[in-house]
Amino acid sequence: MTLSPERVAAASSDWVWVPDSASAVETADYLLVRFPDWFEHPAALVRFEPTGDPAATLDEAAAKARELGADRLIVWVKPGTGPELDSLFVARRGVIDEVLDILALDLAPAAPDLGTPEHLTLRWTTEAEVVRAAEEVSVQVFGGAMPPQDELAAMLERDRRTVAAGGGGIVVAYADDRPLGFGGVSVVDGVARLWGGAVLEEARGRGVYRALLAERLRYALAQGATMALVKGRVATSGPILRRAGFAPYGQERSYLLPL
């Protein structure tokens, strides 16, 4: 069965991530998230749907971000948005930060057979050392800083609960006891949201991302997911996902605006 664009669009629109340790300001026009200090960027407009003047709405959100101590702001442009927002962000000295492919895979028939290279071991973040390993890889690939110890402990407690309950978690790939990459999955209403896929630069091209993808799809199928959804970087994970059978359903892009 082919996934309908409408179903994928709805699942993509529903996917909004606010970390437990973040603060948020939500109005009818936007959702502003102030991330903890160890994140790469301090704040993001994860939803921006102005019902009035977009420039005035952006000014309001930017002022809120400054009040929360942010000096820069990520703003996301979702599929179907006209060029007016791009022009607005550029006028505010915004520069493109990321371009993501929205990719989906029908899991009703079965997950693709991607295999796991023999040199890799996969471990879920239900142990403290695996949680730390995932964050260390994240810092090296995405930037930011290591979370404090109490936050790592909270992550461990959360993932032990959600992995066992079928809600998802993070899997880390190791070779010779060295973490090389990680990937997260959240299973929500039959949709496997795949996020955070990252592989150390020196380990790319060795099947690490493919192994992380296969393990997350295996887990999602076991929880009854019928669709896998991922927002993959165009130049890195996107091509791998397409080769694994994922189909494109549009793009999202983000601008980085100075405050």
Side-chain angles (χ1 to χ4, degrees), residues 65-253:
R66 284 192 292 268
E67 290 175 9
L68 294 172
D71 62 355
R72 58 196 186 279
L73 178 66
I74 291 290
V75 186
W76 284 96
V77 179
K78 302 300 178 71
T81 302
E84 297 81 8
L85 290 185
D86 295 83
S87 299
L88 172 61
F89 300 150
V90 170
R92 299 301 173 84
R93 295 181 294 144
V95 295
I96 290 285
D97 184 65
E98 279 192 305
V99 178
L100 304 180
D101 282 328
I102 299 172
L103 300 157
L105 176 69
D106 185 2
L107 294 178
D113 183 10
L114 302 176
T116 299
E118 293 183 359
H119 70 284
L120 296 178
T121 301
L122 302 175
R123 298 170 64 184
W124 287 86
T125 48
T126 54
E127 305 168 74
E129 65 184 77
V130 185
V131 173
R132 175 170 288 277
E135 291 303 312
E136 289 173 346
V137 172
S138 179
V139 169
Q140 292 182 68
V141 175
F142 296 133
M146 283 294 293
Q149 185 57 45
D150 60 343
E151 181 65 21
L152 292 174
M155 293 176 182
L156 173 61
E157 180 180 354
R158 177 201 64 204
D159 285 9
R160 280 178 170 170
R161 181 178 66 254
T162 59
V163 170
I170 299 171
V171 61
V172 179
Y174 291 80
D176 298 325
D177 295 324
R178 182 186 175 214
L180 300 179
F182 80 97
V185 57
S186 301
V187 182
V188 180
D189 297 330
V191 178
R193 299 171 175 172
L194 307 178
W195 49 269
V199 177
L200 297 178
E201 186 172 359
E202 63 269 25
R204 293 172 188 170
R206 296 163 51 188
V208 177
Y209 188 92
R210 189 175 72 251
L212 292 167
L213 176 61
E215 176 65 9
R216 288 180 289 166
L217 293 178
R218 181 204 62 77
Y219 176 92
L221 277 168
Q223 314 312 319
T226 57
M227 177 172 73
L229 181 67
V230 61
K231 300 175 182 182
R233 288 182 169 180
V234 171
T236 54
S237 58
I240 302 172
L241 290 159
R242 289 171 187 252
R243 288 196 296 271
F246 282 75
Y249 290 85
Q251 288 187 337
E252 293 184 1
R253 57 195 175 278

